[in-house]
Amino acid sequence: PAPAPARTPSILSSTITSVALLQQDMASARTASTIHADIHRLLQQPQPQAQAQTPPREELYQILPSPEILSRLQSLASDYPDFATLTTTQEWFGLPRAGSSRDCPHDAAYPSANGDGCNNYVLILQDKEAHPDDSDVQSPLLRPPADGEYYLSLEGGWWKDESKFDDLDGNERSGWKYLPDVFLSGSVHGDERVGPTSLVEMSELLLESARCESLPRRRFRPSGYYEGLDDRDGGGGGSDGGADDRGEEKEDVLRWKNEVVAAQTCRRSLADRGIPDPFRRWLARLVSTRRTVVIPTANALGYARNERTEDGIDPNRDFPFDVLPKNRDECMQTVAGRSINELFRSHLF
């Protein structure tokens, strides 16, 4: 029989092929290892910083200094006149300022403030449309001279005004008696820095929500809305009184349209900042169903100086509680303590 074909070439070829495949696998393994090493090295390297972008306002956070707090409070009172009133315990209760001429120079510009030192500002959040007769929210220019006893005399919830007869005794109703009171204070210790900023931001959110929920102020479309009132020329044989009526009707339509747009804008803005409709309504209800008295910097002098005390006295230990008779002259020495005490005397917090 013919000899079997030699297997050497086949074995050699297979061996060479196996070695080549093994080398390829090893190279692949080295490549994979190299890739993993490169990725690890890249992850450890500092990445180039993208161009810095200013985050939305709600993501910014900084401790507000005293002048900025005053500016924000004045803006809130100006922007939301139907819901906010700004005053001081100096003009409300006749208290002195704390400190000297070197302290709180920004307070010199506040109306009705006399003397040197720091004011103790009070922001009152309340629906003035629903409770217009409350002495707390009357314009400071319309109030009698600062007299704490005068305001204490109103504790029963009535104005003693004989010119108006809303009950059998000839007294005018006010919101004093019917609204629950809430008291919020910040920085009784001047070195406790977060409270004032938090209260200013909280007040702004409450007021913005209340104002937004109140729009449009007129719940129903004006009568001329469906009649193409904007196209009327104001003529047409009517009397001057009729033309005036049409002019007023047109103003009502334009005012209503503007308020609808404002309502849509503010609600969309709040929703974009994480305040959906149910939360907005809830925040607005907090304003409409109670009186919230906010004193952001109770220890105004200590906050301005970034000191715990008010001229060396701890306001949080300055209240007339559990005081020995021999030490009765050692309380109510700070303007901060006296401010809070007067507010508690005149409100049922």
Side-chain angles (χ1 to χ4, degrees), residues 12 27 42 73 127 129 150 153 156 159 173 178 207 213-214 238 264 267 273 308 316:
L12 179 59
L42 288 173
L73 293 176
D127 190 338
E129 290 287 333
Y150 170 80
S153 71
W159 277 97
R173 287 182 180 274
Y178 306 101
L207 291 170
E213 188 65 17
S214 73
Q264 294 170 342
R267 293 175 187 185
R273 287 179 282 153
R308 184 175 183 82
N316 208 32

Side-chain angles (χ1 to χ4, degrees), residues 129-203:
E129 290 287 333
H131 309 282
D133 300 322
D134 195 321
S135 61
D136 270 7
V137 297
Q138 304 306 309
S139 168
L141 298 178
L142 300 179
R143 295 175 185 165
D147 182 357
E149 294 304 319
Y150 170 80
Y151 291 101
L152 291 176
S153 71
L154 304 178
E155 279 186 305
W158 307 94
W159 277 97
K160 306 298 181 183
D161 187 351
E162 297 180 357
S163 65
K164 299 183 179 181
F165 300 94
D166 289 350
D167 73 339
L168 295 178
D169 297 326
N171 298 316
E172 178 190 0
R173 287 182 180 274
S174 75
W176 204 225
K177 187 175 182 180
Y178 306 101
L179 276 178
D181 285 319
V182 177
F183 177 64
L184 299 173
S185 70
S187 195
V188 174
H189 292 139
D191 58 355
E192 296 169 350
R193 311 297 290 175
V194 177
T197 299
S198 300
L199 289 177
V200 170
E201 295 290 347
M202 179 216 68
S203 299

Side-chain angles (χ1 to χ4, degrees), residues 24 61 64 78 88 90 102 115 151 162 191 209 237 280 295:
Q24 184 178 354
Y61 179 79
L64 299 177
S78 174
T88 67
Q90 282 69 33
R102 297 188 300 273
Y151 291 101
E162 297 180 357
D191 58 355
S209 299
R280 184 195 69 247
I295 181 166

Side-chain angles (χ1 to χ4, degrees), residues 335-348:
V335 177
R338 294 175 65 185
S339 296
I340 295 174
N341 185 63
E342 291 296 332
L343 288 170
F344 268 82
R345 290 181 66 206
S346 56
H347 295 77
L348 188 62

Side-chain angles (χ1 to χ4, degrees), residues 56-115:
R57 179 178 176 183
E58 62 272 16
E59 296 181 9
L60 294 174
Y61 179 79
Q62 62 177 354
I63 299 297
L64 299 177
S66 296
E68 180 66 17
I69 289 176
L70 173 57
S71 176
R72 293 279 291 274
L73 293 176
Q74 289 177 315
S75 295
L76 292 178
S78 174
D79 294 343
Y80 304 100
D82 294 329
F83 299 98
T85 302
L86 179 63
T87 184
T88 67
T89 59
Q90 282 69 33
E91 62 181 340
W92 196 348
F93 302 110
L95 298 179
R97 284 173 155 185
S100 65
S101 59
R102 297 188 300 273
D103 299 300
C104 300
H106 55 278
D107 283 348
Y110 184 79
S112 303
N114 300 314

